Short mmCIF file of all heavy atoms in Angstrom, two decimals:
data_model
loop_
_atom_site.label_atom_id
_atom_site.label_comp_id
_atom_site.label_asym_id
_atom_site.label_seq_id
_atom_site.Cartn_x
_atom_site.Cartn_y
_atom_site.Cartn_z
N MET A 1 -184.54 -160.51 -127.95
CA MET A 1 -184.13 -161.59 -128.83
C MET A 1 -185.03 -162.80 -128.58
O MET A 1 -186.10 -162.67 -128.00
CB MET A 1 -182.65 -161.94 -128.61
CG MET A 1 -181.72 -160.71 -128.71
SD MET A 1 -181.99 -159.67 -130.14
CE MET A 1 -181.11 -160.61 -131.37
N ASN A 2 -184.64 -163.97 -128.99
CA ASN A 2 -185.59 -165.08 -128.99
C ASN A 2 -185.60 -165.90 -127.70
O ASN A 2 -186.17 -166.97 -127.66
CB ASN A 2 -185.36 -165.98 -130.20
CG ASN A 2 -184.03 -166.71 -130.16
OD1 ASN A 2 -183.29 -166.60 -129.18
ND2 ASN A 2 -183.73 -167.44 -131.20
N GLY A 3 -184.98 -165.40 -126.65
CA GLY A 3 -185.11 -166.08 -125.37
C GLY A 3 -183.84 -166.71 -124.87
O GLY A 3 -183.51 -166.57 -123.70
N ASP A 4 -183.09 -167.39 -125.75
CA ASP A 4 -181.78 -167.84 -125.28
C ASP A 4 -180.86 -166.64 -125.28
O ASP A 4 -181.08 -165.67 -125.98
CB ASP A 4 -181.24 -169.01 -126.10
CG ASP A 4 -181.07 -168.69 -127.57
OD1 ASP A 4 -180.99 -167.49 -127.90
OD2 ASP A 4 -181.01 -169.62 -128.38
N SER A 5 -179.83 -166.68 -124.44
CA SER A 5 -179.02 -165.47 -124.26
C SER A 5 -178.02 -165.29 -125.38
O SER A 5 -177.37 -164.26 -125.46
CB SER A 5 -178.30 -165.55 -122.92
OG SER A 5 -177.50 -166.71 -122.88
N LYS A 6 -177.90 -166.27 -126.23
CA LYS A 6 -176.94 -166.16 -127.33
C LYS A 6 -177.61 -165.58 -128.58
O LYS A 6 -178.79 -165.77 -128.80
CB LYS A 6 -176.36 -167.53 -127.66
CG LYS A 6 -175.50 -168.08 -126.54
CD LYS A 6 -174.93 -169.43 -126.89
CE LYS A 6 -175.98 -170.50 -126.99
NZ LYS A 6 -175.44 -171.85 -127.14
N VAL A 7 -176.82 -164.88 -129.34
CA VAL A 7 -177.30 -164.37 -130.63
C VAL A 7 -177.08 -165.48 -131.65
O VAL A 7 -175.98 -166.00 -131.80
CB VAL A 7 -176.53 -163.11 -131.03
CG1 VAL A 7 -176.99 -162.64 -132.41
CG2 VAL A 7 -176.76 -162.00 -130.00
N SER A 8 -178.14 -165.85 -132.32
CA SER A 8 -178.06 -166.99 -133.23
C SER A 8 -178.67 -166.64 -134.58
O SER A 8 -179.23 -165.56 -134.78
CB SER A 8 -178.80 -168.19 -132.63
OG SER A 8 -180.19 -167.89 -132.62
N ILE A 9 -178.60 -167.60 -135.47
CA ILE A 9 -179.20 -167.42 -136.78
C ILE A 9 -180.70 -167.22 -136.65
O ILE A 9 -181.32 -166.53 -137.45
CB ILE A 9 -178.84 -168.62 -137.69
CG1 ILE A 9 -179.02 -168.22 -139.15
CG2 ILE A 9 -179.62 -169.86 -137.32
CD1 ILE A 9 -177.95 -167.27 -139.66
N GLY A 10 -181.29 -167.76 -135.58
CA GLY A 10 -182.71 -167.55 -135.34
C GLY A 10 -183.03 -166.09 -135.08
O GLY A 10 -184.09 -165.59 -135.48
N ASP A 11 -182.11 -165.40 -134.41
CA ASP A 11 -182.30 -163.98 -134.16
C ASP A 11 -182.25 -163.19 -135.45
O ASP A 11 -183.01 -162.24 -135.66
CB ASP A 11 -181.24 -163.46 -133.19
CG ASP A 11 -181.36 -164.12 -131.83
OD1 ASP A 11 -182.46 -164.09 -131.27
OD2 ASP A 11 -180.35 -164.64 -131.36
N LEU A 12 -181.33 -163.58 -136.31
CA LEU A 12 -181.23 -162.91 -137.61
C LEU A 12 -182.53 -163.10 -138.40
O LEU A 12 -183.04 -162.15 -139.00
CB LEU A 12 -180.04 -163.48 -138.38
CG LEU A 12 -179.63 -162.72 -139.64
CD1 LEU A 12 -179.17 -161.31 -139.29
CD2 LEU A 12 -178.51 -163.45 -140.37
N ALA A 13 -183.07 -164.31 -138.33
CA ALA A 13 -184.33 -164.58 -139.02
C ALA A 13 -185.47 -163.75 -138.43
O ALA A 13 -186.34 -163.27 -139.15
CB ALA A 13 -184.66 -166.07 -138.92
N MET A 14 -185.44 -163.58 -137.09
CA MET A 14 -186.47 -162.79 -136.43
C MET A 14 -186.42 -161.34 -136.89
O MET A 14 -187.46 -160.72 -137.16
CB MET A 14 -186.29 -162.88 -134.91
CG MET A 14 -187.42 -162.27 -134.12
SD MET A 14 -187.07 -162.30 -132.34
CE MET A 14 -185.75 -161.09 -132.25
N VAL A 15 -185.22 -160.79 -136.96
CA VAL A 15 -185.07 -159.40 -137.42
C VAL A 15 -185.50 -159.29 -138.88
O VAL A 15 -186.18 -158.34 -139.27
CB VAL A 15 -183.62 -158.92 -137.23
CG1 VAL A 15 -183.43 -157.53 -137.84
CG2 VAL A 15 -183.26 -158.89 -135.75
N ALA A 16 -185.12 -160.29 -139.67
CA ALA A 16 -185.51 -160.27 -141.08
C ALA A 16 -187.03 -160.29 -141.23
O ALA A 16 -187.59 -159.60 -142.09
CB ALA A 16 -184.88 -161.47 -141.80
N ALA A 17 -187.69 -161.07 -140.37
CA ALA A 17 -189.16 -161.16 -140.42
C ALA A 17 -189.80 -159.83 -140.04
O ALA A 17 -190.89 -159.50 -140.51
CB ALA A 17 -189.64 -162.27 -139.50
N ALA A 18 -189.13 -159.08 -139.17
CA ALA A 18 -189.67 -157.81 -138.69
C ALA A 18 -189.20 -156.63 -139.53
O ALA A 18 -189.60 -155.48 -139.27
CB ALA A 18 -189.26 -157.60 -137.23
N TYR A 19 -188.39 -156.91 -140.52
CA TYR A 19 -187.77 -155.85 -141.33
C TYR A 19 -188.82 -154.90 -141.90
O TYR A 19 -189.82 -155.32 -142.48
CB TYR A 19 -186.97 -156.48 -142.46
CG TYR A 19 -186.03 -155.53 -143.15
CD1 TYR A 19 -184.73 -155.39 -142.69
CD2 TYR A 19 -186.45 -154.77 -144.22
CE1 TYR A 19 -183.86 -154.51 -143.31
CE2 TYR A 19 -185.59 -153.88 -144.85
CZ TYR A 19 -184.29 -153.76 -144.39
OH TYR A 19 -183.43 -152.88 -145.00
N GLY A 20 -188.62 -153.62 -141.71
CA GLY A 20 -189.53 -152.62 -142.25
C GLY A 20 -190.61 -152.18 -141.28
O GLY A 20 -191.31 -151.20 -141.53
N LYS A 21 -190.72 -152.91 -140.15
CA LYS A 21 -191.72 -152.52 -139.15
C LYS A 21 -191.26 -151.28 -138.39
O LYS A 21 -190.07 -151.08 -138.16
CB LYS A 21 -191.94 -153.68 -138.15
CG LYS A 21 -192.59 -154.89 -138.76
CD LYS A 21 -194.06 -154.63 -139.06
CE LYS A 21 -194.72 -155.87 -139.64
NZ LYS A 21 -196.15 -155.61 -139.97
N THR A 22 -192.21 -150.47 -138.00
CA THR A 22 -191.92 -149.29 -137.17
C THR A 22 -192.93 -149.21 -136.04
O THR A 22 -193.91 -149.97 -136.02
CB THR A 22 -191.99 -147.99 -137.98
OG1 THR A 22 -193.37 -147.68 -138.21
CG2 THR A 22 -191.25 -148.10 -139.30
N ASP A 23 -192.71 -148.26 -135.14
CA ASP A 23 -193.66 -148.15 -134.02
C ASP A 23 -195.00 -147.58 -134.48
O ASP A 23 -195.93 -147.46 -133.70
CB ASP A 23 -193.07 -147.35 -132.87
CG ASP A 23 -192.89 -145.88 -133.19
OD1 ASP A 23 -192.93 -145.51 -134.38
OD2 ASP A 23 -192.71 -145.09 -132.25
N ALA A 24 -195.10 -147.23 -135.75
CA ALA A 24 -196.39 -146.80 -136.31
C ALA A 24 -197.27 -147.99 -136.69
O ALA A 24 -198.46 -147.82 -136.93
CB ALA A 24 -196.15 -145.92 -137.54
N ASP A 25 -196.67 -149.19 -136.72
CA ASP A 25 -197.45 -150.38 -137.04
C ASP A 25 -198.23 -150.86 -135.83
O ASP A 25 -197.72 -150.86 -134.71
CB ASP A 25 -196.51 -151.51 -137.52
CG ASP A 25 -195.99 -151.25 -138.92
OD1 ASP A 25 -196.78 -151.32 -139.86
OD2 ASP A 25 -194.78 -150.97 -139.05
N ALA A 26 -199.48 -151.28 -136.05
CA ALA A 26 -200.35 -151.71 -134.95
C ALA A 26 -199.78 -152.92 -134.22
O ALA A 26 -200.00 -153.10 -133.03
CB ALA A 26 -201.74 -152.03 -135.48
N ASP A 27 -199.02 -153.75 -134.94
CA ASP A 27 -198.46 -154.95 -134.34
C ASP A 27 -196.99 -154.78 -133.92
O ASP A 27 -196.26 -155.74 -133.76
CB ASP A 27 -198.61 -156.15 -135.28
CG ASP A 27 -198.05 -155.88 -136.67
OD1 ASP A 27 -197.59 -154.74 -136.92
OD2 ASP A 27 -198.09 -156.79 -137.50
N TRP A 28 -196.60 -153.53 -133.71
CA TRP A 28 -195.20 -153.23 -133.34
C TRP A 28 -194.76 -153.99 -132.10
O TRP A 28 -193.61 -154.41 -132.00
CB TRP A 28 -195.05 -151.72 -133.13
CG TRP A 28 -193.73 -151.29 -132.60
CD1 TRP A 28 -193.48 -150.66 -131.42
CD2 TRP A 28 -192.45 -151.41 -133.25
NE1 TRP A 28 -192.14 -150.40 -131.29
CE2 TRP A 28 -191.49 -150.85 -132.40
CE3 TRP A 28 -192.03 -151.95 -134.46
CZ2 TRP A 28 -190.12 -150.80 -132.70
CZ3 TRP A 28 -190.68 -151.93 -134.78
CH2 TRP A 28 -189.75 -151.35 -133.92
N ASN A 29 -195.65 -154.18 -131.14
CA ASN A 29 -195.27 -154.83 -129.88
C ASN A 29 -194.65 -156.21 -130.11
O ASN A 29 -193.76 -156.61 -129.37
CB ASN A 29 -196.48 -154.97 -128.95
CG ASN A 29 -196.66 -153.74 -128.09
OD1 ASN A 29 -195.78 -152.90 -128.01
ND2 ASN A 29 -197.80 -153.65 -127.45
N GLN A 30 -195.11 -156.92 -131.14
CA GLN A 30 -194.56 -158.24 -131.36
C GLN A 30 -193.27 -158.22 -132.16
O GLN A 30 -192.61 -159.24 -132.31
CB GLN A 30 -195.59 -159.17 -132.00
CG GLN A 30 -195.95 -158.82 -133.43
CD GLN A 30 -197.11 -159.70 -133.93
OE1 GLN A 30 -198.29 -159.41 -133.77
NE2 GLN A 30 -196.75 -160.81 -134.54
N TYR A 31 -192.91 -157.06 -132.65
CA TYR A 31 -191.68 -156.95 -133.44
C TYR A 31 -190.61 -156.09 -132.77
O TYR A 31 -189.47 -156.09 -133.19
CB TYR A 31 -191.99 -156.36 -134.82
CG TYR A 31 -192.86 -157.25 -135.67
CD1 TYR A 31 -194.17 -156.91 -135.95
CD2 TYR A 31 -192.36 -158.44 -136.18
CE1 TYR A 31 -194.99 -157.73 -136.72
CE2 TYR A 31 -193.16 -159.26 -136.95
CZ TYR A 31 -194.46 -158.91 -137.22
OH TYR A 31 -195.26 -159.73 -137.97
N LYS A 32 -190.98 -155.35 -131.75
CA LYS A 32 -190.03 -154.37 -131.22
C LYS A 32 -188.77 -154.99 -130.62
O LYS A 32 -187.75 -154.32 -130.53
CB LYS A 32 -190.72 -153.45 -130.21
CG LYS A 32 -191.19 -154.13 -128.94
CD LYS A 32 -191.88 -153.09 -128.05
CE LYS A 32 -192.38 -153.72 -126.77
NZ LYS A 32 -193.13 -152.75 -125.95
N SER A 33 -188.83 -156.28 -130.23
CA SER A 33 -187.62 -156.91 -129.71
C SER A 33 -186.56 -157.07 -130.79
O SER A 33 -185.39 -157.28 -130.49
CB SER A 33 -187.95 -158.26 -129.08
OG SER A 33 -188.47 -159.14 -130.04
N ALA A 34 -186.97 -156.94 -132.04
CA ALA A 34 -186.00 -157.01 -133.14
C ALA A 34 -185.36 -155.65 -133.42
O ALA A 34 -184.44 -155.55 -134.23
CB ALA A 34 -186.69 -157.51 -134.41
N ASP A 35 -185.83 -154.63 -132.72
CA ASP A 35 -185.26 -153.29 -132.88
C ASP A 35 -184.06 -153.15 -131.96
O ASP A 35 -184.15 -152.65 -130.84
CB ASP A 35 -186.32 -152.24 -132.55
CG ASP A 35 -185.80 -150.83 -132.70
OD1 ASP A 35 -184.78 -150.63 -133.40
OD2 ASP A 35 -186.41 -149.92 -132.11
N ILE A 36 -182.92 -153.63 -132.44
CA ILE A 36 -181.73 -153.77 -131.61
C ILE A 36 -181.23 -152.42 -131.10
O ILE A 36 -180.81 -152.29 -129.97
CB ILE A 36 -180.59 -154.46 -132.42
CG1 ILE A 36 -181.09 -155.76 -133.04
CG2 ILE A 36 -179.38 -154.69 -131.54
CD1 ILE A 36 -181.61 -156.77 -132.06
N ASN A 37 -181.27 -151.42 -131.95
CA ASN A 37 -180.71 -150.12 -131.55
C ASN A 37 -181.79 -149.15 -131.06
O ASN A 37 -181.51 -147.97 -130.84
CB ASN A 37 -179.89 -149.52 -132.69
CG ASN A 37 -180.71 -149.29 -133.95
OD1 ASN A 37 -181.91 -149.54 -133.99
ND2 ASN A 37 -180.06 -148.81 -134.99
N HIS A 38 -183.00 -149.64 -130.89
CA HIS A 38 -184.07 -148.87 -130.23
C HIS A 38 -184.35 -147.53 -130.89
O HIS A 38 -184.57 -146.52 -130.21
CB HIS A 38 -183.75 -148.68 -128.74
CG HIS A 38 -183.53 -149.97 -128.01
ND1 HIS A 38 -184.51 -150.92 -127.84
CD2 HIS A 38 -182.41 -150.49 -127.46
CE1 HIS A 38 -184.00 -151.95 -127.18
NE2 HIS A 38 -182.73 -151.72 -126.95
N ASP A 39 -184.35 -147.50 -132.20
CA ASP A 39 -184.72 -146.26 -132.89
C ASP A 39 -186.15 -146.35 -133.44
O ASP A 39 -186.54 -145.56 -134.30
CB ASP A 39 -183.71 -145.90 -133.97
CG ASP A 39 -183.60 -146.97 -135.06
OD1 ASP A 39 -184.25 -148.04 -134.93
OD2 ASP A 39 -182.88 -146.74 -136.03
N LYS A 40 -186.90 -147.31 -132.92
CA LYS A 40 -188.33 -147.45 -133.22
C LYS A 40 -188.62 -147.84 -134.66
O LYS A 40 -189.70 -147.59 -135.18
CB LYS A 40 -189.11 -146.18 -132.83
CG LYS A 40 -188.97 -145.83 -131.37
CD LYS A 40 -189.94 -144.75 -130.96
CE LYS A 40 -189.64 -144.24 -129.54
NZ LYS A 40 -189.65 -145.35 -128.56
N LYS A 41 -187.65 -148.48 -135.27
CA LYS A 41 -187.88 -149.10 -136.57
C LYS A 41 -186.90 -150.25 -136.74
O LYS A 41 -185.83 -150.24 -136.14
CB LYS A 41 -187.75 -148.08 -137.70
CG LYS A 41 -186.40 -147.39 -137.81
CD LYS A 41 -186.42 -146.43 -139.00
CE LYS A 41 -185.04 -145.88 -139.32
NZ LYS A 41 -184.69 -144.69 -138.54
N VAL A 42 -187.30 -151.22 -137.54
CA VAL A 42 -186.43 -152.36 -137.83
C VAL A 42 -185.93 -152.19 -139.25
O VAL A 42 -186.71 -152.25 -140.20
CB VAL A 42 -187.16 -153.70 -137.65
CG1 VAL A 42 -186.23 -154.86 -137.99
CG2 VAL A 42 -187.68 -153.83 -136.22
N ASP A 43 -184.64 -151.95 -139.38
CA ASP A 43 -184.08 -151.71 -140.70
C ASP A 43 -182.70 -152.35 -140.83
O ASP A 43 -182.31 -153.19 -140.02
CB ASP A 43 -184.06 -150.21 -141.01
CG ASP A 43 -183.20 -149.42 -140.04
OD1 ASP A 43 -182.44 -150.05 -139.26
OD2 ASP A 43 -183.26 -148.19 -140.08
N ILE A 44 -181.97 -151.94 -141.83
CA ILE A 44 -180.67 -152.55 -142.12
C ILE A 44 -179.70 -152.42 -140.96
O ILE A 44 -178.84 -153.27 -140.75
CB ILE A 44 -180.10 -151.96 -143.45
CG1 ILE A 44 -178.91 -152.78 -143.93
CG2 ILE A 44 -179.76 -150.49 -143.29
CD1 ILE A 44 -179.28 -154.20 -144.37
N ASP A 45 -179.85 -151.34 -140.18
CA ASP A 45 -178.95 -151.17 -139.04
C ASP A 45 -179.12 -152.29 -138.02
O ASP A 45 -178.15 -152.76 -137.43
CB ASP A 45 -179.20 -149.82 -138.37
CG ASP A 45 -178.77 -148.65 -139.24
OD1 ASP A 45 -177.90 -148.86 -140.11
OD2 ASP A 45 -179.29 -147.55 -139.04
N ASP A 46 -180.37 -152.71 -137.81
CA ASP A 46 -180.63 -153.79 -136.86
C ASP A 46 -180.12 -155.12 -137.40
O ASP A 46 -179.52 -155.91 -136.67
CB ASP A 46 -182.14 -153.86 -136.56
CG ASP A 46 -182.64 -152.58 -135.95
OD1 ASP A 46 -182.14 -152.20 -134.89
OD2 ASP A 46 -183.51 -151.94 -136.56
N LEU A 47 -180.36 -155.36 -138.67
CA LEU A 47 -179.84 -156.59 -139.29
C LEU A 47 -178.32 -156.64 -139.17
O LEU A 47 -177.75 -157.67 -138.83
CB LEU A 47 -180.23 -156.63 -140.78
CG LEU A 47 -181.51 -157.34 -141.16
CD1 LEU A 47 -181.67 -157.31 -142.68
CD2 LEU A 47 -181.52 -158.79 -140.68
N ALA A 48 -177.68 -155.52 -139.44
CA ALA A 48 -176.23 -155.47 -139.38
C ALA A 48 -175.73 -155.70 -137.96
O ALA A 48 -174.72 -156.37 -137.74
CB ALA A 48 -175.73 -154.13 -139.91
N ALA A 49 -176.44 -155.15 -136.98
CA ALA A 49 -176.04 -155.31 -135.58
C ALA A 49 -176.11 -156.77 -135.16
O ALA A 49 -175.21 -157.28 -134.48
CB ALA A 49 -176.92 -154.45 -134.68
N VAL A 50 -177.18 -157.47 -135.57
CA VAL A 50 -177.31 -158.89 -135.23
C VAL A 50 -176.26 -159.70 -135.97
O VAL A 50 -175.61 -160.57 -135.38
CB VAL A 50 -178.72 -159.40 -135.57
CG1 VAL A 50 -178.80 -160.91 -135.38
CG2 VAL A 50 -179.75 -158.71 -134.68
N ALA A 51 -176.06 -159.40 -137.23
CA ALA A 51 -175.06 -160.14 -138.01
C ALA A 51 -173.68 -159.98 -137.40
O ALA A 51 -172.91 -160.93 -137.31
CB ALA A 51 -175.07 -159.65 -139.46
N ALA A 52 -173.37 -158.78 -136.93
CA ALA A 52 -172.06 -158.52 -136.33
C ALA A 52 -171.88 -159.35 -135.06
O ALA A 52 -170.79 -159.85 -134.79
CB ALA A 52 -171.91 -157.04 -136.04
N LYS A 53 -172.96 -159.50 -134.28
CA LYS A 53 -172.87 -160.29 -133.04
C LYS A 53 -172.70 -161.77 -133.36
O LYS A 53 -171.99 -162.48 -132.65
CB LYS A 53 -174.12 -160.07 -132.20
CG LYS A 53 -174.16 -158.68 -131.58
CD LYS A 53 -175.42 -158.51 -130.74
CE LYS A 53 -175.47 -157.10 -130.14
NZ LYS A 53 -176.69 -156.91 -129.32
N ILE A 54 -173.36 -162.25 -134.40
CA ILE A 54 -173.22 -163.66 -134.78
C ILE A 54 -171.78 -163.95 -135.19
O ILE A 54 -171.23 -164.99 -134.87
CB ILE A 54 -174.20 -164.00 -135.92
CG1 ILE A 54 -175.63 -163.97 -135.40
CG2 ILE A 54 -173.88 -165.37 -136.52
CD1 ILE A 54 -176.68 -164.11 -136.48
N LEU A 55 -171.19 -163.00 -135.87
CA LEU A 55 -169.85 -163.22 -136.41
C LEU A 55 -168.75 -163.14 -135.34
O LEU A 55 -167.64 -163.55 -135.58
CB LEU A 55 -169.56 -162.20 -137.52
CG LEU A 55 -170.42 -162.37 -138.77
CD1 LEU A 55 -170.21 -161.22 -139.73
CD2 LEU A 55 -170.10 -163.70 -139.46
N LYS A 56 -169.09 -162.63 -134.16
CA LYS A 56 -168.08 -162.55 -133.10
C LYS A 56 -167.69 -163.93 -132.59
O LYS A 56 -168.54 -164.80 -132.52
CB LYS A 56 -168.64 -161.72 -131.94
CG LYS A 56 -168.40 -160.24 -132.15
CD LYS A 56 -168.88 -159.44 -130.95
CE LYS A 56 -168.68 -157.94 -131.21
NZ LYS A 56 -169.30 -157.15 -130.12
CA1 CA B 101 -183.66 -150.18 -135.21
#
């Protein structure tokens, strides 16, 4: 996530910015922290996971 230990709207923005990236992308290293469920791609599941944490 973005460094602070809390899940924030900034984290949601980070995942949104990385949306669609996979480990096949050359710049995956800078986006992989947005892969919340570690399935090597950033998709709706990751967005939903972050959104769920924000709403807690
Ligand atoms: Ca993922």
Side-chain angles (χ1 to χ4, degrees):
M1 307 312 279
N2 67 4
D4 59 20
S5 58
K6 293 181 293 188
V7 177
S8 68
I9 201 72
D11 296 307
L12 191 63
M14 188 184 70
V15 174
Y19 194 90
K21 293 288 182 182
T22 75
D23 69 344
D25 286 291
D27 53 358
W28 173 242
N29 273 347
Q30 68 187 88
Y31 295 110
K32 65 181 180 184
S33 62
D35 180 20
I36 308 301
N37 60 1
H38 304 295
D39 61 355
K40 302 191 189 304
K41 60 179 189 274
V42 179
D43 61 11
I44 192 67
D45 291 337
D46 299 301
L47 267 182
V50 173
K53 288 180 181 180
I54 291 172
L55 293 172
K56 274 183 182 173

